[in-house]
Amino acid sequence: MTPTSHPAPAPPLHQQRDQPTGVPPLALTGERTLPDVPEENYWFRRHLVVYEWIAARVQGLRVIDMACGEGYGSDVLAHAAASVVGVDANPEAHEHARLRYARANVRFVRDLLDSFSEDADAVVCLQTIEHLQEPGAVLEHFRSLVEGTPGTGTQSVGLGSAGLGQAQGPGPARLGRGVVFVSTPNVLTLAPKGASRSGNPWHVHEYRRAEFEQLCRGHFAEVEMYGLFHARKLRAHELALRLGWDRVHSRLGLTRHFYERFTPAIACSDFVLRAAHEADLDRAMDFVAVCRP
């Protein structure tokens, strides 16, 4: 299995390792990604890099992390934000997050993302909209939470020339009425070649770039689109696959040994976010929409 594959979920085979005393480990089911599972490290880093990118843009803000899952993303955001509320309906995930990520400026609430209501400067909802039956109604709800909220941070929401988003100069944040960050996988790179969608049974709908952007623009006045791409060793691995690496490692019997080493070594620096004017987003792994009312 390559680190870019996304097999259909199976009964839990892996649990989180080395959890703090008193924190129950979560099992990997395929519905959400987890830290501390070496076999899941590709997907964890693929999510984590986007949280880090957003954290640089919400300094000093009140943030809601919708469908926060295990809680690692809320914790990352809390390093920069004034406050973070992590919202998730799953009781096991909620209890784990509450116990593991205890910070003065973080709290976790067990609730549905379309019913939790609290004023915020920013709402973050990553890799979740593809799970929803009524994504438009949820985006409208997110808009209502940040509409009319002035930005209070010190960083601009924008992409720096290096691709991972340095602040765009001094001065107050360009958040205006608040901001909503939404991400989703690109079906063109998620689904097997020739298939119309992936085999993930929790996904209700998987998006192409134009469709996702249209959905967001139907509920927000301003939408900036970004794409997540492979970089460094993941880019090298991607090129190796095009040259037939899958055939070579399977023929030599190296598959398990190679990926037991390669997958846990993947870092956030092996991904890069690029703006729509910098890259062909149809080739992105994931889309990230930065939306303002």
Side-chain angles (χ1 to χ4, degrees), residues 20-58:
T21 302
V23 178
L26 295 177
L28 186 66
T29 65
E31 186 176 9
R32 62 173 59 86
T33 193
L34 298 173
D36 307 315
V37 180
E39 298 83 357
E40 177 72 358
N41 187 54
Y42 168 82
W43 291 97
F44 168 62
R45 299 293 173 179
R46 180 165 157 175
H47 289 61
L48 180 63
V49 67
V50 179
Y51 270 115
E52 292 180 346
W53 185 86
I54 294 170
R57 289 156 176 77
V58 297

mmCIF file of all heavy atoms in Angstrom, residues 20-58:
data_model
loop_
_atom_site.group_PDB
_atom_site.id
_atom_site.type_symbol
_atom_site.label_atom_id
_atom_site.label_comp_id
_atom_site.label_asym_id
_atom_site.label_seq_id
_atom_site.Cartn_x
_atom_site.Cartn_y
_atom_site.Cartn_z
ATOM 1 N N PRO A 20 -0.938 9.822 27.125
ATOM 2 C CA PRO A 20 -0.695 10.230 28.514
ATOM 3 C C PRO A 20 -1.536 9.408 29.491
ATOM 4 O O PRO A 20 -2.606 8.898 29.148
ATOM 5 C CB PRO A 20 -1.124 11.706 28.520
ATOM 6 C CG PRO A 20 -1.031 12.150 27.097
ATOM 7 C CD PRO A 20 -1.384 10.945 26.274
ATOM 8 N N THR A 21 -1.061 9.293 30.689
ATOM 9 C CA THR A 21 -1.781 8.552 31.723
ATOM 10 C C THR A 21 -3.192 9.108 31.890
ATOM 11 O O THR A 21 -3.387 10.319 32.018
ATOM 12 C CB THR A 21 -1.028 8.640 33.066
ATOM 13 O OG1 THR A 21 0.289 8.123 32.896
ATOM 14 C CG2 THR A 21 -1.761 7.840 34.140
ATOM 15 N N GLY A 22 -4.174 8.213 31.867
ATOM 16 C CA GLY A 22 -5.557 8.614 32.057
ATOM 17 C C GLY A 22 -6.286 9.021 30.794
ATOM 18 O O GLY A 22 -7.475 9.342 30.853
ATOM 19 N N VAL A 23 -5.585 9.002 29.653
ATOM 20 C CA VAL A 23 -6.208 9.379 28.382
ATOM 21 C C VAL A 23 -6.475 8.106 27.579
ATOM 22 O O VAL A 23 -5.529 7.412 27.187
ATOM 23 C CB VAL A 23 -5.314 10.333 27.572
ATOM 24 C CG1 VAL A 23 -5.968 10.654 26.232
ATOM 25 C CG2 VAL A 23 -5.054 11.609 28.361
ATOM 26 N N PRO A 24 -7.722 7.761 27.314
ATOM 27 C CA PRO A 24 -8.014 6.536 26.572
ATOM 28 C C PRO A 24 -7.585 6.664 25.118
ATOM 29 O O PRO A 24 -7.937 7.649 24.456
ATOM 30 C CB PRO A 24 -9.535 6.398 26.693
ATOM 31 C CG PRO A 24 -10.020 7.800 26.926
ATOM 32 C CD PRO A 24 -8.944 8.486 27.707
ATOM 33 N N PRO A 25 -6.840 5.703 24.571
ATOM 34 C CA PRO A 25 -6.454 5.771 23.162
ATOM 35 C C PRO A 25 -7.654 5.550 22.261
ATOM 36 O O PRO A 25 -8.591 4.826 22.609
ATOM 37 C CB PRO A 25 -5.436 4.633 23.022
ATOM 38 C CG PRO A 25 -5.822 3.661 24.091
ATOM 39 C CD PRO A 25 -6.326 4.493 25.240
ATOM 40 N N LEU A 26 -7.629 6.166 21.098
ATOM 41 C CA LEU A 26 -8.682 5.980 20.105
ATOM 42 C C LEU A 26 -8.230 4.967 19.069
ATOM 43 O O LEU A 26 -7.040 4.874 18.739
ATOM 44 C CB LEU A 26 -9.022 7.307 19.426
ATOM 45 C CG LEU A 26 -9.636 8.390 20.314
ATOM 46 C CD1 LEU A 26 -9.852 9.677 19.521
ATOM 47 C CD2 LEU A 26 -10.947 7.920 20.933
ATOM 48 N N ALA A 27 -9.184 4.214 18.537
ATOM 49 C CA ALA A 27 -8.892 3.231 17.496
ATOM 50 C C ALA A 27 -9.046 3.878 16.124
ATOM 51 O O ALA A 27 -9.917 4.724 15.906
ATOM 52 C CB ALA A 27 -9.834 2.036 17.622
ATOM 53 N N LEU A 28 -8.204 3.472 15.211
ATOM 54 C CA LEU A 28 -8.268 3.956 13.836
ATOM 55 C C LEU A 28 -9.324 3.153 13.080
ATOM 56 O O LEU A 28 -9.209 1.945 12.921
ATOM 57 C CB LEU A 28 -6.906 3.800 13.169
ATOM 58 C CG LEU A 28 -6.764 4.380 11.772
ATOM 59 C CD1 LEU A 28 -6.881 5.898 11.800
ATOM 60 C CD2 LEU A 28 -5.409 3.983 11.181
ATOM 61 N N THR A 29 -10.374 3.833 12.629
ATOM 62 C CA THR A 29 -11.464 3.166 11.914
ATOM 63 C C THR A 29 -11.559 3.578 10.452
ATOM 64 O O THR A 29 -12.283 2.964 9.685
ATOM 65 C CB THR A 29 -12.814 3.486 12.575
ATOM 66 O OG1 THR A 29 -13.093 4.887 12.434
ATOM 67 C CG2 THR A 29 -12.799 3.116 14.053
ATOM 68 N N GLY A 30 -10.863 4.657 10.066
ATOM 69 C CA GLY A 30 -10.961 5.187 8.714
ATOM 70 C C GLY A 30 -11.869 6.387 8.610
ATOM 71 O O GLY A 30 -11.873 7.090 7.601
ATOM 72 N N GLU A 31 -12.656 6.656 9.665
ATOM 73 C CA GLU A 31 -13.581 7.796 9.630
ATOM 74 C C GLU A 31 -12.858 9.102 9.894
ATOM 75 O O GLU A 31 -13.218 10.144 9.361
ATOM 76 C CB GLU A 31 -14.687 7.600 10.657
ATOM 77 C CG GLU A 31 -15.767 8.682 10.588
ATOM 78 C CD GLU A 31 -16.911 8.415 11.550
ATOM 79 O OE1 GLU A 31 -16.793 7.496 12.377
ATOM 80 O OE2 GLU A 31 -17.915 9.128 11.463
ATOM 81 N N ARG A 32 -11.838 9.079 10.743
ATOM 82 C CA ARG A 32 -11.058 10.284 11.052
ATOM 83 C C ARG A 32 -9.608 9.882 11.218
ATOM 84 O O ARG A 32 -9.293 8.730 11.539
ATOM 85 C CB ARG A 32 -11.566 10.966 12.334
ATOM 86 C CG ARG A 32 -11.432 10.087 13.569
ATOM 87 C CD ARG A 32 -11.787 10.841 14.838
ATOM 88 N NE ARG A 32 -13.141 11.358 14.793
ATOM 89 C CZ ARG A 32 -14.217 10.658 15.152
ATOM 90 N NH1 ARG A 32 -14.079 9.393 15.535
ATOM 91 N NH2 ARG A 32 -15.418 11.183 15.104
ATOM 92 N N THR A 33 -8.730 10.844 10.995
ATOM 93 C CA THR A 33 -7.313 10.551 11.159
ATOM 94 C C THR A 33 -6.898 10.768 12.607
ATOM 95 O O THR A 33 -7.573 11.467 13.368
ATOM 96 C CB THR A 33 -6.452 11.430 10.232
ATOM 97 O OG1 THR A 33 -5.116 10.916 10.195
ATOM 98 C CG2 THR A 33 -6.413 12.879 10.687
ATOM 99 N N LEU A 34 -5.772 10.140 13.001
ATOM 100 C CA LEU A 34 -5.294 10.201 14.372
ATOM 101 C C LEU A 34 -3.782 10.388 14.405
ATOM 102 O O LEU A 34 -3.068 9.828 13.561
ATOM 103 C CB LEU A 34 -5.620 8.898 15.114
ATOM 104 C CG LEU A 34 -7.083 8.505 15.297
ATOM 105 C CD1 LEU A 34 -7.156 7.103 15.908
ATOM 106 C CD2 LEU A 34 -7.807 9.510 16.179
ATOM 107 N N PRO A 35 -3.274 11.118 15.388
ATOM 108 C CA PRO A 35 -1.835 11.090 15.651
ATOM 109 C C PRO A 35 -1.472 9.833 16.417
ATOM 110 O O PRO A 35 -2.334 9.099 16.902
ATOM 111 C CB PRO A 35 -1.634 12.335 16.527
ATOM 112 C CG PRO A 35 -2.929 12.499 17.242
ATOM 113 C CD PRO A 35 -4.007 12.027 16.279
ATOM 114 N N ASP A 36 -0.189 9.568 16.517
ATOM 115 C CA ASP A 36 0.352 8.474 17.330
ATOM 116 C C ASP A 36 -0.021 7.094 16.804
ATOM 117 O O ASP A 36 -0.086 6.118 17.563
ATOM 118 C CB ASP A 36 -0.105 8.609 18.794
ATOM 119 C CG ASP A 36 0.197 9.987 19.364
ATOM 120 O OD1 ASP A 36 1.325 10.469 19.146
ATOM 121 O OD2 ASP A 36 -0.692 10.591 20.002
ATOM 122 N N VAL A 37 -0.284 7.017 15.497
ATOM 123 C CA VAL A 37 -0.479 5.742 14.807
ATOM 124 C C VAL A 37 0.476 5.750 13.612
ATOM 125 O O VAL A 37 0.192 6.412 12.608
ATOM 126 C CB VAL A 37 -1.932 5.555 14.339
ATOM 127 C CG1 VAL A 37 -2.089 4.200 13.628
ATOM 128 C CG2 VAL A 37 -2.912 5.668 15.497
ATOM 129 N N PRO A 38 1.621 5.084 13.695
ATOM 130 C CA PRO A 38 2.623 5.194 12.629
ATOM 131 C C PRO A 38 2.079 4.888 11.237
ATOM 132 O O PRO A 38 2.447 5.553 10.253
ATOM 133 C CB PRO A 38 3.688 4.173 13.046
ATOM 134 C CG PRO A 38 3.560 4.104 14.535
ATOM 135 C CD PRO A 38 2.099 4.264 14.824
ATOM 136 N N GLU A 39 1.189 3.900 11.138
ATOM 137 C CA GLU A 39 0.643 3.518 9.832
ATOM 138 C C GLU A 39 -0.253 4.613 9.240
ATOM 139 O O GLU A 39 -0.521 4.617 8.033
ATOM 140 C CB GLU A 39 -0.163 2.225 9.957
ATOM 141 C CG GLU A 39 0.652 1.020 10.419
ATOM 142 C CD GLU A 39 0.822 0.941 11.924
ATOM 143 O OE1 GLU A 39 0.361 1.848 12.656
ATOM 144 O OE2 GLU A 39 1.429 -0.057 12.392
ATOM 145 N N GLU A 40 -0.712 5.542 10.071
ATOM 146 C CA GLU A 40 -1.623 6.614 9.655
ATOM 147 C C GLU A 40 -0.900 7.945 9.451
ATOM 148 O O GLU A 40 -1.519 8.954 9.121
ATOM 149 C CB GLU A 40 -2.712 6.765 10.738
ATOM 150 C CG GLU A 40 -3.731 7.873 10.532
ATOM 151 C CD GLU A 40 -4.743 7.594 9.419
ATOM 152 O OE1 GLU A 40 -4.624 6.530 8.766
ATOM 153 O OE2 GLU A 40 -5.638 8.423 9.208
ATOM 154 N N ASN A 41 0.411 7.933 9.589
ATOM 155 C CA ASN A 41 1.149 9.187 9.640
ATOM 156 C C ASN A 41 0.996 10.048 8.390
ATOM 157 O O ASN A 41 0.967 11.273 8.474
ATOM 158 C CB ASN A 41 2.637 8.909 9.885
ATOM 159 C CG ASN A 41 3.419 10.190 10.104
ATOM 160 O OD1 ASN A 41 3.079 11.009 10.955
ATOM 161 N ND2 ASN A 41 4.458 10.374 9.306
ATOM 162 N N TYR A 42 0.886 9.427 7.207
ATOM 163 C CA TYR A 42 0.699 10.221 5.986
ATOM 164 C C TYR A 42 -0.556 11.074 6.094
ATOM 165 O O TYR A 42 -0.529 12.284 5.838
ATOM 166 C CB TYR A 42 0.604 9.307 4.762
ATOM 167 C CG TYR A 42 0.123 10.043 3.524
ATOM 168 C CD1 TYR A 42 1.003 10.786 2.753
ATOM 169 C CD2 TYR A 42 -1.222 10.003 3.134
ATOM 170 C CE1 TYR A 42 0.567 11.475 1.627
ATOM 171 C CE2 TYR A 42 -1.667 10.692 2.018
ATOM 172 C CZ TYR A 42 -0.772 11.418 1.265
ATOM 173 O OH TYR A 42 -1.215 12.106 0.162
ATOM 174 N N TRP A 43 -1.674 10.461 6.476
ATOM 175 C CA TRP A 43 -2.937 11.189 6.545
ATOM 176 C C TRP A 43 -2.945 12.190 7.681
ATOM 177 O O TRP A 43 -3.476 13.306 7.544
ATOM 178 C CB TRP A 43 -4.102 10.198 6.666
ATOM 179 C CG TRP A 43 -4.272 9.449 5.396
ATOM 180 C CD1 TRP A 43 -3.791 8.197 5.101
ATOM 181 C CD2 TRP A 43 -4.912 9.917 4.215
ATOM 182 N NE1 TRP A 43 -4.109 7.868 3.811
ATOM 183 C CE2 TRP A 43 -4.795 8.899 3.242
ATOM 184 C CE3 TRP A 43 -5.577 11.096 3.890
ATOM 185 C CZ2 TRP A 43 -5.322 9.028 1.960
ATOM 186 C CZ3 TRP A 43 -6.110 11.226 2.608
ATOM 187 C CH2 TRP A 43 -5.975 10.196 1.661
ATOM 188 N N PHE A 44 -2.336 11.831 8.809
ATOM 189 C CA PHE A 44 -2.252 12.772 9.926
ATOM 190 C C PHE A 44 -1.479 14.019 9.525
ATOM 191 O O PHE A 44 -1.925 15.146 9.758
ATOM 192 C CB PHE A 44 -1.601 12.092 11.127
ATOM 193 C CG PHE A 44 -1.223 13.042 12.217
ATOM 194 C CD1 PHE A 44 -2.190 13.793 12.870
ATOM 195 C CD2 PHE A 44 0.110 13.199 12.588
ATOM 196 C CE1 PHE A 44 -1.844 14.689 13.877
ATOM 197 C CE2 PHE A 44 0.466 14.085 13.591
ATOM 198 C CZ PHE A 44 -0.510 14.839 14.231
ATOM 199 N N ARG A 45 -0.311 13.847 8.908
ATOM 200 C CA ARG A 45 0.493 15.008 8.501
ATOM 201 C C ARG A 45 -0.223 15.821 7.437
ATOM 202 O O ARG A 45 -0.118 17.054 7.405
ATOM 203 C CB ARG A 45 1.856 14.554 7.998
ATOM 204 C CG ARG A 45 2.684 13.815 9.027
ATOM 205 C CD ARG A 45 3.110 14.706 10.177
ATOM 206 N NE ARG A 45 3.770 13.925 11.220
ATOM 207 C CZ ARG A 45 4.264 14.435 12.337
ATOM 208 N NH1 ARG A 45 4.187 15.740 12.543
ATOM 209 N NH2 ARG A 45 4.826 13.662 13.242
ATOM 210 N N ARG A 46 -0.942 15.169 6.560
ATOM 211 C CA ARG A 46 -1.690 15.854 5.505
ATOM 212 C C ARG A 46 -2.764 16.769 6.100
ATOM 213 O O ARG A 46 -3.052 17.843 5.555
ATOM 214 C CB ARG A 46 -2.295 14.816 4.572
ATOM 215 C CG ARG A 46 -3.107 15.358 3.408
ATOM 216 C CD ARG A 46 -3.317 14.274 2.390
ATOM 217 N NE ARG A 46 -4.482 14.512 1.543
ATOM 218 C CZ ARG A 46 -4.839 13.751 0.502
ATOM 219 N NH1 ARG A 46 -4.097 12.689 0.206
ATOM 220 N NH2 ARG A 46 -5.904 14.022 -0.209
ATOM 221 N N HIS A 47 -3.349 16.371 7.218
ATOM 222 C CA HIS A 47 -4.308 17.220 7.924
ATOM 223 C C HIS A 47 -3.586 18.270 8.773
ATOM 224 O O HIS A 47 -3.985 19.439 8.804
ATOM 225 C CB HIS A 47 -5.197 16.375 8.836
ATOM 226 C CG HIS A 47 -6.183 15.517 8.120
ATOM 227 N ND1 HIS A 47 -5.819 14.531 7.234
ATOM 228 C CD2 HIS A 47 -7.547 15.490 8.177
ATOM 229 C CE1 HIS A 47 -6.905 13.933 6.766
ATOM 230 N NE2 HIS A 47 -7.962 14.501 7.322
ATOM 231 N N LEU A 48 -2.545 17.840 9.465
ATOM 232 C CA LEU A 48 -1.862 18.715 10.416
ATOM 233 C C LEU A 48 -1.265 19.943 9.738
ATOM 234 O O LEU A 48 -1.311 21.048 10.287
ATOM 235 C CB LEU A 48 -0.759 17.928 11.139
ATOM 236 C CG LEU A 48 0.057 18.700 12.181
ATOM 237 C CD1 LEU A 48 -0.833 19.166 13.331
ATOM 238 C CD2 LEU A 48 1.200 17.824 12.704
ATOM 239 N N VAL A 49 -0.704 19.780 8.547
ATOM 240 C CA VAL A 49 -0.065 20.910 7.874
ATOM 241 C C VAL A 49 -1.067 22.020 7.580
ATOM 242 O O VAL A 49 -0.735 23.206 7.644
ATOM 243 C CB VAL A 49 0.655 20.455 6.580
ATOM 244 C CG1 VAL A 49 -0.325 19.982 5.519
ATOM 245 C CG2 VAL A 49 1.547 21.571 6.033
ATOM 246 N N VAL A 50 -2.316 21.661 7.316
ATOM 247 C CA VAL A 50 -3.336 22.683 7.058
ATOM 248 C C VAL A 50 -3.708 23.392 8.356
ATOM 249 O O VAL A 50 -3.884 24.617 8.388
ATOM 250 C CB VAL A 50 -4.569 22.070 6.375
ATOM 251 C CG1 VAL A 50 -5.640 23.130 6.129
ATOM 252 C CG2 VAL A 50 -4.170 21.404 5.063
ATOM 253 N N TYR A 51 -3.823 22.650 9.445
ATOM 254 C CA TYR A 51 -4.068 23.296 10.738
ATOM 255 C C TYR A 51 -2.946 24.280 11.067
ATOM 256 O O TYR A 51 -3.203 25.386 11.565
ATOM 257 C CB TYR A 51 -4.168 22.245 11.841
ATOM 258 C CG TYR A 51 -5.567 21.727 12.090
ATOM 259 C CD1 TYR A 51 -5.890 20.392 11.848
ATOM 260 C CD2 TYR A 51 -6.566 22.557 12.602
ATOM 261 C CE1 TYR A 51 -7.169 19.908 12.102
ATOM 262 C CE2 TYR A 51 -7.840 22.078 12.859
ATOM 263 C CZ TYR A 51 -8.139 20.756 12.603
ATOM 264 O OH TYR A 51 -9.407 20.285 12.855
ATOM 265 N N GLU A 52 -1.706 23.905 10.815
ATOM 266 C CA GLU A 52 -0.585 24.799 11.099
ATOM 267 C C GLU A 52 -0.643 26.043 10.220
ATOM 268 O O GLU A 52 -0.347 27.154 10.671
ATOM 269 C CB GLU A 52 0.740 24.055 10.909
ATOM 270 C CG GLU A 52 0.966 22.973 11.957
ATOM 271 C CD GLU A 52 2.271 22.231 11.764
ATOM 272 O OE1 GLU A 52 2.880 22.353 10.676
ATOM 273 O OE2 GLU A 52 2.696 21.523 12.711
ATOM 274 N N TRP A 53 -1.018 25.862 8.971
ATOM 275 C CA TRP A 53 -1.155 26.978 8.031
ATOM 276 C C TRP A 53 -2.235 27.947 8.516
ATOM 277 O O TRP A 53 -2.068 29.164 8.474
ATOM 278 C CB TRP A 53 -1.491 26.410 6.661
ATOM 279 C CG TRP A 53 -1.563 27.368 5.525
ATOM 280 C CD1 TRP A 53 -0.530 27.806 4.755
ATOM 281 C CD2 TRP A 53 -2.752 27.973 4.981
ATOM 282 N NE1 TRP A 53 -0.997 28.651 3.765
ATOM 283 C CE2 TRP A 53 -2.358 28.768 3.888
ATOM 284 C CE3 TRP A 53 -4.101 27.909 5.316
ATOM 285 C CZ2 TRP A 53 -3.259 29.499 3.121
ATOM 286 C CZ3 TRP A 53 -5.012 28.650 4.558
ATOM 287 C CH2 TRP A 53 -4.594 29.431 3.474
ATOM 288 N N ILE A 54 -3.349 27.410 8.996
ATOM 289 C CA ILE A 54 -4.432 28.252 9.502
ATOM 290 C C ILE A 54 -4.029 28.923 10.813
ATOM 291 O O ILE A 54 -4.347 30.104 11.048
ATOM 292 C CB ILE A 54 -5.712 27.422 9.687
ATOM 293 C CG1 ILE A 54 -6.226 26.936 8.327
ATOM 294 C CG2 ILE A 54 -6.793 28.226 10.407
ATOM 295 C CD1 ILE A 54 -7.348 25.924 8.408
ATOM 296 N N ALA A 55 -3.323 28.212 11.676
ATOM 297 C CA ALA A 55 -2.917 28.781 12.961
ATOM 298 C C ALA A 55 -2.134 30.071 12.769
ATOM 299 O O ALA A 55 -2.267 31.017 13.571
ATOM 300 C CB ALA A 55 -2.093 27.762 13.748
ATOM 301 N N ALA A 56 -1.329 30.132 11.721
ATOM 302 C CA ALA A 56 -0.558 31.346 11.447
ATOM 303 C C ALA A 56 -1.449 32.517 11.062
ATOM 304 O O ALA A 56 -0.988 33.661 11.033
ATOM 305 C CB ALA A 56 0.455 31.072 10.327
ATOM 306 N N ARG A 57 -2.718 32.257 10.779
ATOM 307 C CA ARG A 57 -3.642 33.285 10.307
ATOM 308 C C ARG A 57 -4.734 33.631 11.313
ATOM 309 O O ARG A 57 -5.620 34.421 11.003
ATOM 310 C CB ARG A 57 -4.276 32.817 8.993
ATOM 311 C CG ARG A 57 -3.269 32.849 7.875
ATOM 312 C CD ARG A 57 -3.612 31.901 6.751
ATOM 313 N NE ARG A 57 -2.631 32.086 5.709
ATOM 314 C CZ ARG A 57 -1.394 31.599 5.746
ATOM 315 N NH1 ARG A 57 -1.013 30.858 6.771
ATOM 316 N NH2 ARG A 57 -0.543 31.840 4.774
ATOM 317 N N VAL A 58 -4.734 33.008 12.467
ATOM 318 C CA VAL A 58 -5.783 33.274 13.455
ATOM 319 C C VAL A 58 -5.204 33.759 14.775
ATOM 320 O O VAL A 58 -5.834 33.612 15.824
ATOM 321 C CB VAL A 58 -6.673 32.027 13.677
ATOM 322 C CG1 VAL A 58 -7.401 31.650 12.396
ATOM 323 C CG2 VAL A 58 -5.860 30.836 14.207
#
